[in-house]
Amino acid sequence: MSKVSLFSARSQAIEPFHVMALLARANELQAAGKDVIHLEIGEPDFTTASPIIAAGQLALAEGKTRYTAARGLPALREAISQFYQQRYGVHINPQRILITPGGSGALLLATSLLVDPGRQWLMADPGYPCNRHFLRLIEASAQLVPVDAKVNYQLTPELIERHWNEDSVGALVASPANPTGTVLNKSELAALSEVIHAKNGHLVVDEIYHGLSYGIDAPSVLEVNDQAFVLNSFSKYFGMTGWRLGWLVAPENAVPELEKLAQNLYISASSIAQYAALACFQPESIAIFEERRHAFAQRRDFLLPALRQLGFKIEVEPQGAFYLYADISEFCEQGGDAFSFCQHFLETEYVAFTPGLDFGRYRAQSHVRFAYTQNIDRLRQALERIENGLRTWRAKW
């Protein structure tokens, strides 16, 4: 028996993050004394806001370290419900909210509930890779739909109609999206809801980057479709990446089944993280998050035109998240691909960014993603290095 056959087919089918190899190399270079500028990982340079840290410390001091209910702390679910009322003008019964270990926990619940083995969800390609991998884990699959700037890198009703088949049971969309930063407006969300409802399918919307939008406020699908499933997280807008906390909003009739799954899959989310997250909704915390949103907008407005001037093709100005998805085909006409392009800049200029291979298959070899998660001084340094690296790249080919 070979060593590989000892492990499940599903495990072997799940692809690693290609960027993790680059990150490991970046860390090696950094340990060797090189000044690496990290634009590859979707984690901002901001630490968790001080009111949240204080709330977590207080919870520890008070011994609030026991399991919570599988659905999460009632007070936190109530706070999230009030947040939806204040920010989106929609009333969500706290009973419909489940607190999860990160947004990934919410995705695990949704896929486990809604998709049987052999069935499919439609997803945009490019898109966040873990979404399709979760489906593979439960013996289902993602039906990747190629999208480009013409459709704002998002699924449309026409694409749903064209690609829906007998195995399709729903669609997962992200707004704002990773890696493109594009946003679905209210009418687009309503149109997607209508076409999927007509097919007796489920619409699941990843709203993990809500709060991080620029010049607009991204609408929630719950404003137009009360029966949609919504994934969200405390990682991005709320800045709690390492705390691993998220939530799922579901139709009321789905909650008992989801609670049963939560009890079996992870018992409950971290109690300390939940008590800390209660501080997210305090006015002083929201003020910090809004300052950071403004900083991200400044970073986008600095990096986007500068990369375009260097020859990177970015057809759509991102309205949210903190990424720029750039076409590098002009730089690879004589040879090379996205991964070798990223390797070149890491090894020669000590700037790390992500190859398109991590986000799907459609034109992946000719795209890279930049995360503007560093301050403007560091972005300026990165641009200087990238400009120099382009000269050596062109000479190489």
Side-chain angles (χ1 to χ4, degrees), residues 44-314:
D45 54 339
F46 301 116
T47 59
T48 298
S50 56
I52 300 170
I53 294 173
Q57 291 170 330
L58 180 61
L60 280 169
E62 294 179 347
K64 295 178 178 177
T65 57
R66 305 179 69 85
Y67 293 132
T68 69
R71 277 190 285 172
L73 286 176
L76 184 56
R77 291 188 282 114
E78 177 66 38
I80 293 171
S81 172
Q82 293 177 4
F83 185 71
Y84 275 100
Q85 182 68 56
Q86 294 162 3
R87 181 147 296 196
Y88 304 106
V90 295
H91 173 69
I92 303 299
N93 188 330
Q95 299 301 316
R96 294 174 52 194
I97 300 168
L98 293 96
I99 309 301
T100 59
S104 297
L107 181 60
L108 177 62
L109 291 183
T111 54
S112 300
L113 177 75
L114 300 177
V115 195
D116 280 320
R119 307 309 292 271
Q120 297 179 335
W121 272 353
L122 276 68
M123 296 181 187
D125 180 0
Y128 182 57
C130 286
N131 295 340
R132 66 180 187 269
H133 294 158
F134 268 89
L135 287 170
R136 179 63 186 89
L137 188 67
I138 62 167
E139 302 294 345
S141 62
Q143 187 176 356
L144 298 181
V145 178
V147 294
D148 56 23
K150 295 176 184 176
V151 292
N152 207 32
Y153 294 102
Q154 293 281 0
L155 294 183
T156 66
E158 293 75 22
L159 288 172
I160 297 290
E161 292 284 3
R162 189 185 315 161
H163 291 274
W164 194 274
N165 62 42
E166 60 183 12
D167 292 325
S168 304
V169 295
L172 170 63
V173 298
S175 175
N178 176 9
T180 60
T182 60
V183 172
L184 290 162
N185 63 37
K186 197 177 291 188
S187 63
E188 289 167 335
L189 289 166
L192 286 172
S193 298
E194 184 177 345
V195 69
I196 293 170
H197 176 73
K199 297 180 180 300
N200 294 316
H202 297 285
L203 176 60
V204 183
V205 183
D206 172 348
E207 297 186 354
I208 285 172
Y209 290 93
H210 265 231
L212 294 177
S213 55
Y214 317 112
I216 63 167
D217 286 322
S220 172
V221 68
L222 297 170
E223 297 177 54
V224 298
N225 179 0
D226 190 58
Q227 296 302 297
F229 289 77
V230 173
L231 316 173
N232 213 320
S233 171
F234 286 94
S235 290
K236 308 304 181 181
Y237 177 69
F238 299 103
M240 295 180 66
T241 50
W243 298 77
R244 307 311 304 132
L245 197 66
W247 74 83
L248 171 67
V249 181
E252 193 167 341
N253 66 347
V255 171
E257 291 297 309
L258 289 166
E259 183 174 22
K260 178 179 64 178
L261 288 168
Q263 291 166 346
N264 283 275
L265 291 172
Y266 55 79
I267 301 179
S268 67
S270 160
S271 60
I272 301 304
Q274 292 186 67
Y275 284 108
L278 286 168
C280 287
F281 307 101
Q282 296 174 0
E284 58 267 39
S285 298
I286 296 295
I288 294 170
F289 306 146
E290 288 300 309
E291 286 178 11
R292 293 176 177 182
R293 188 209 312 225
H294 180 65
F296 281 125
Q298 290 180 317
R299 295 175 184 187
R300 181 202 62 173
D301 294 344
F302 172 76
L303 188 60
L304 175 61
L307 286 174
R308 283 173 167 168
Q309 189 171 359
L310 289 175
F312 291 89
K313 188 177 181 182
I314 304 170

Side-chain angles (χ1 to χ4, degrees), residues 231-394:
L231 316 173
N232 213 320
S233 171
F234 286 94
S235 290
K236 308 304 181 181
Y237 177 69
F238 299 103
M240 295 180 66
T241 50
W243 298 77
R244 307 311 304 132
L245 197 66
W247 74 83
L248 171 67
V249 181
E252 193 167 341
N253 66 347
V255 171
E257 291 297 309
L258 289 166
E259 183 174 22
K260 178 179 64 178
L261 288 168
Q263 291 166 346
N264 283 275
L265 291 172
Y266 55 79
I267 301 179
S268 67
S270 160
S271 60
I272 301 304
Q274 292 186 67
Y275 284 108
L278 286 168
C280 287
F281 307 101
Q282 296 174 0
E284 58 267 39
S285 298
I286 296 295
I288 294 170
F289 306 146
E290 288 300 309
E291 286 178 11
R292 293 176 177 182
R293 188 209 312 225
H294 180 65
F296 281 125
Q298 290 180 317
R299 295 175 184 187
R300 181 202 62 173
D301 294 344
F302 172 76
L303 188 60
L304 175 61
L307 286 174
R308 283 173 167 168
Q309 189 171 359
L310 289 175
F312 291 89
K313 188 177 181 182
I314 304 170
E315 296 183 270
V316 175
E317 179 178 295
Q319 297 173 297
F322 34 66
Y323 306 115
L324 297 173
Y325 196 59
D327 184 341
I328 59 167
S329 54
E330 178 184 329
F331 306 125
C332 297
E333 290 177 349
Q334 304 303 316
D337 57 23
F339 193 81
S340 60
F341 190 78
C342 291
Q343 280 184 313
H344 169 79
F345 283 89
L346 178 58
E347 295 292 344
T348 65
E349 302 298 330
Y350 311 121
V351 179
F353 45 92
T354 309
L357 291 170
D358 271 341
F359 305 107
R361 301 181 180 89
Y362 181 60
R363 300 182 64 198
Q365 293 283 11
S366 62
H367 283 77
V368 297
R369 187 195 73 176
F370 296 92
Y372 45 94
T373 49
Q374 301 293 312
N375 63 47
I376 287 181
D377 286 340
R378 290 295 273 170
L379 294 179
R380 185 177 289 109
Q381 287 180 303
L383 287 166
E384 292 170 355
R385 297 184 192 182
I386 290 169
E387 184 174 15
N388 186 62
L390 286 173
R391 286 193 289 269
T392 56
W393 172 262
R394 290 188 174 104

